[in-house]
């Protein structure tokens, strides 16, 4: 075991620079496309649970880090990584217990048809590999995606991410990609009705027909189980059953992107797609799977996995290595032993109730939505017209940061407060957040 003092001696060799020096070096030596949060960026040096600490030891409540799923620097997860790294780290060309144990443990959380696991280094890699699987199985190329979706930063995934290809610097929609409207029952074309989910689901067929009209057959439908960049949107009831039926009738496969929302965050279900009563053909995972350690996964059916056996080897140098698998196993242990899925359900419900109470006092909160600890609060100028209020949302984020609470914004109009803290987030944390948000909104 590597002790804390050894780590400290390594870290002590890194010069501690001022904010200005780091900013200057970032400009000189790092990719200029790298972004920073907040008007005055924070220098964060330590994390623990739901808290991040700056170089002066000031604590900030982290309301947006869905990557450190079971809390920043969870001791059980850190210890698992340290112990395995001190013993062995190699690749999957050797037999090792960790990878098969993880495959068994992971598939035990999923419907029985989803039984074959591929391990990767990130959610982007997982979504990219899933596209190869879908195309190998269907012998088709076309993909339908949901507007404003983000599925990763590789070239193939930017092509499937309207959030990117229709944004600044984007190259627009590729010919093999169809886009359907977000199933947004607050500001979309179908609102508030019990049939809205089915109505949005029926939009898949025109998109499939549009691809077919250009000579492109359908390989896959990519859909996040809860929409992140789209504005923290929970899919309306009936959406995925309707959409999946259209996709399968066209010969395509259905992919649930759980990169942001899996592993119990949704509260009532371990996987957010379960709330729709469907079973995808492929599920992709990332971010929370390793609590910040770079690991991702694709889980699919034996039939789709068999279609990928073409004679070309699939090998990923780091994917499925013993250290990553040890960390991922520890994450599953912590979720189960600390009952964090139930915590996400209980605290998430309390938080949404509290936000809806604030909505009664502050007309700028137009909508509160989400599942578990994946929540959005949409800020508007006019509640009746549901006009987005991006300036107020940005101002709220800065004002909350001044009160040591870290938030961010999301959505097509960047007016949705996104709330997705580590799922160790407690009721006391929620009460503190709600009190501070009430104070901030009252000041506008």
């Amino acid at each position: 075991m590597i002790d804390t003092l050894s780590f400290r001696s390594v870290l002590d060799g890194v010069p501690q620079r001022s904010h200005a020096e780091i900013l200057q070096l970032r400009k000189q030596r790092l990719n200029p496309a790298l972004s920073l949060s907040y008007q005055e960026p924070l220098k964060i040096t330590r994390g623990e649970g739901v808290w991040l600490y700056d170089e002066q030891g000031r604590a900030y409540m982290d309301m947006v880090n869905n990557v450190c799923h079971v809390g920043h620097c969870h001791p059980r997860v850190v210890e698992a990584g340290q112990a395995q790294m001190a013993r062995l780290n190699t690749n999957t060309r050797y037999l090792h217990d960790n990878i098969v144990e993880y495959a068994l443990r992971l598939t035990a959380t999923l419907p029985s048809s989803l039984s074959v696991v591929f391990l990767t280094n990130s959610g982007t890699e997982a979504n990219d590999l899933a596209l190869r699987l879908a195309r190998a199985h269907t012998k088709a190329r076309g993909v339908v995606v949901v507007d404003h979706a983000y599925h990763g930063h590789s070239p193939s995934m930017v092509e499937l991410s309207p959030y990117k290809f229709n944004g600044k610097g984007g190259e627009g929609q590729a010919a093999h990609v169809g886009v359907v409207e977000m199933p947004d029952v607050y500001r979309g074309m179908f609102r508030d009705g019990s049939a809205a989910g089915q109505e949005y689901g029926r939009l898949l067929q025109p998109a499939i027909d549009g691809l077919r009209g250009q000579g492109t057959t359908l390989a896959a439908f990519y859909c996040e189980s809860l929409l992140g960049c789209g504005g923290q949107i929970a899919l309306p009831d009936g959406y995925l059953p309707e959409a999946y039926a259209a996709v399968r009738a066209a010969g395509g496969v259905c992919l649930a992107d759980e990169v942001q929302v899996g592993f119990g965050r949704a509260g009532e279900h371990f996987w957010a797609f379960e709330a729709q009563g469907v079973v995808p053909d492929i599920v992709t995972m990332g971010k929370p799977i390793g609590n910040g350690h770079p690991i991702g996964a694709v889980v699919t059916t034996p039939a789709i996995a068999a279609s990928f056996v073409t004679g070309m080897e699939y090998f990923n140098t780091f994917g499925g290595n013993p250290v990553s698998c040890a960390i991922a196993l520890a994450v599953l242990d912590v979720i189960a032993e600390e009952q964090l899925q139930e915590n996400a359900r209980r605290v998430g419900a309390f938080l949404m109730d509290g936000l809806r109470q604030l909505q009664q006092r502050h007309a700028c909160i137009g909508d509160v939505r989400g599942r578990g600890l994946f929540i959005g609060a949409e800020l508007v100028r006019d509640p009746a017209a549901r006009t987005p209020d991006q300036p107020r949302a940005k101002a709220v984020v800065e004002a909350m940061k001044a009160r040591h609470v870290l938030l961010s914004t999301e959505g097509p109009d960047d007016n949705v407060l996104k709330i997705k803290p580590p799922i160790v987030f407690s009721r006391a944390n929620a009460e503190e957040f709600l009190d501070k948000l009430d104070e901030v909104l009252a000041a506008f």
Side-chain angles (χ1 to χ4, degrees):
M1 181 70 64
I2 301 174
D3 60 43
T4 305
L5 287 175
S6 298
F7 278 123
R8 190 173 299 141
S9 65
V10 172
L11 294 174
D12 285 345
V14 178
Q16 299 303 294
R17 298 178 171 91
S18 68
H19 288 212
E21 288 177 302
I22 294 174
L23 284 169
Q24 184 60 33
L25 285 169
R26 282 175 65 106
K27 289 178 182 178
Q28 291 176 348
R29 303 298 182 190
L30 300 181
N31 181 352
L34 285 174
S35 63
L36 284 164
S37 297
Y38 311 109
Q39 292 174 3
E40 294 184 8
L42 291 167
K43 181 180 179 182
I44 297 298
T45 60
R46 186 169 70 87
E48 182 179 356
V50 301
W51 301 99
L52 291 172
Y53 297 84
D54 69 11
E55 75 276 25
Q56 296 181 33
R58 294 174 295 202
Y60 292 82
M61 184 187 293
D62 186 355
M63 298 287 293
V64 291
N65 202 321
N66 61 323
V67 179
C68 291
H69 191 59
V70 299
H72 291 280
C73 303
H74 192 289
R76 177 78 172 273
V77 178
V78 172
E79 183 180 3
Q82 289 175 352
Q84 184 58 57
M85 190 176 290
R87 181 177 300 159
L88 172 72
N89 195 22
T90 185
N91 59 56
T92 54
R93 295 195 196 278
Y94 302 98
L95 297 179
H96 200 277
D97 292 301
N98 286 8
I99 189 169
V100 293
E101 179 64 18
Y102 188 68
L104 288 169
R105 292 275 305 279
L106 183 63
T107 54
T109 69
L110 289 155
S112 59
S113 61
L114 294 165
S115 59
V116 182
V117 178
F118 297 78
L119 293 179
T120 67
N121 300 299
S122 67
T124 292
E125 272 197 9
N127 277 330
D128 189 87
L129 175 59
L131 182 61
R132 292 178 62 194
L133 288 165
R135 286 176 170 167
H137 186 67
T138 62
K139 311 301 182 189
R141 179 168 175 78
V143 183
V144 173
V145 297
V146 178
D147 204 4
H148 302 288
Y150 174 62
H151 295 292
H153 60 78
S154 68
S156 71
M157 288 302 104
V158 170
E159 287 184 345
L160 302 191
S161 300
Y163 174 73
K164 290 293 186 183
F165 68 64
N166 282 332
K168 292 180 180 178
E171 297 181 354
Q173 186 174 334
H176 66 276
V177 176
V179 179
V180 293
E181 182 169 342
M182 287 193 305
D184 178 0
V185 298
Y186 179 63
R187 288 180 55 211
M189 67 167 68
F190 305 118
R191 301 182 180 185
D192 305 323
S194 60
Q198 290 176 302
E199 290 174 314
Y200 279 113
R202 292 188 190 111
L203 298 178
L204 268 289
Q205 192 59 57
I208 294 167
D209 292 342
L211 289 174
R212 187 182 293 120
Q214 299 177 51
T216 303
T217 51
L218 183 67
F221 170 50
Y222 272 58
C223 185
E224 298 165 275
S225 301
L226 295 166
L227 308 187
C229 293
Q232 305 294 105
I233 292 173
L235 302 178
D237 291 344
Y239 178 67
L240 287 184
E242 191 75 25
Y244 278 19
V247 171
R248 287 170 173 155
V253 299
C254 302
L255 181 143
D257 183 334
E258 294 264 342
V259 168
Q260 289 206 59
V261 298
F263 295 91
R265 177 169 293 279
E268 292 184 4
H269 303 282
F270 198 78
W271 304 104
F273 69 77
E274 294 177 286
Q276 289 278 308
V278 296
V279 177
D281 303 302
I282 304 174
V283 180
T284 56
M285 307 161 192
K287 297 185 192 297
I289 190 173
N291 210 53
H293 182 83
I295 178 173
V298 180
V299 186
T300 191
T301 66
I304 292 174
S307 298
F308 198 59
V309 181
T310 63
M312 179 186 290
E313 179 192 23
Y314 173 73
F315 177 68
N316 185 321
T317 303
F318 300 110
N321 72 77
V323 172
S324 295
C325 290
I327 288 170
L329 282 164
V331 170
L332 289 179
D333 288 339
V334 171
I335 292 170
E337 293 168 13
E338 298 185 12
Q339 299 182 315
L340 294 183
Q341 180 183 338
E342 170 59 18
N343 184 70
R345 185 200 64 79
R346 185 178 64 253
V347 177
F350 175 81
L351 193 49
M352 290 234 286
D353 286 345
L355 285 165
R356 286 178 177 136
Q357 290 173 29
L358 293 184
Q359 187 179 21
Q360 300 305 310
R361 297 201 295 276
H362 304 286
C364 65
I365 301 180
D367 191 38
V368 175
R369 56 195 180 234
R371 289 189 182 276
L373 283 172
F374 186 91
I375 298 169
E378 182 151 1
L379 301 192
V380 295
R381 291 197 300 273
D382 181 344
R386 307 184 181 186
T387 312
D389 194 344
Q390 182 193 94
R392 188 189 298 262
K394 295 294 187 184
V396 167
V397 167
E398 292 293 338
M400 290 295 283
K401 179 209 168 196
R403 290 162 176 79
H404 289 223
V405 176
L406 303 182
L407 285 171
S408 187
T409 56
E410 202 62 274
D413 295 291
D414 220 14
N415 67 313
V416 180
L417 300 179
K418 65 176 176 181
I419 299 166
K420 46 184 184 180
I423 62 170
V424 292
F425 196 75
S426 69
R427 178 168 173 148
N429 297 146
E431 289 172 345
E432 179 179 345
F433 163 72
L434 291 167
D435 286 345
K436 289 182 176 179
L437 183 60
D438 189 20
E439 176 185 312
V440 165
L441 293 176
F444 285 101

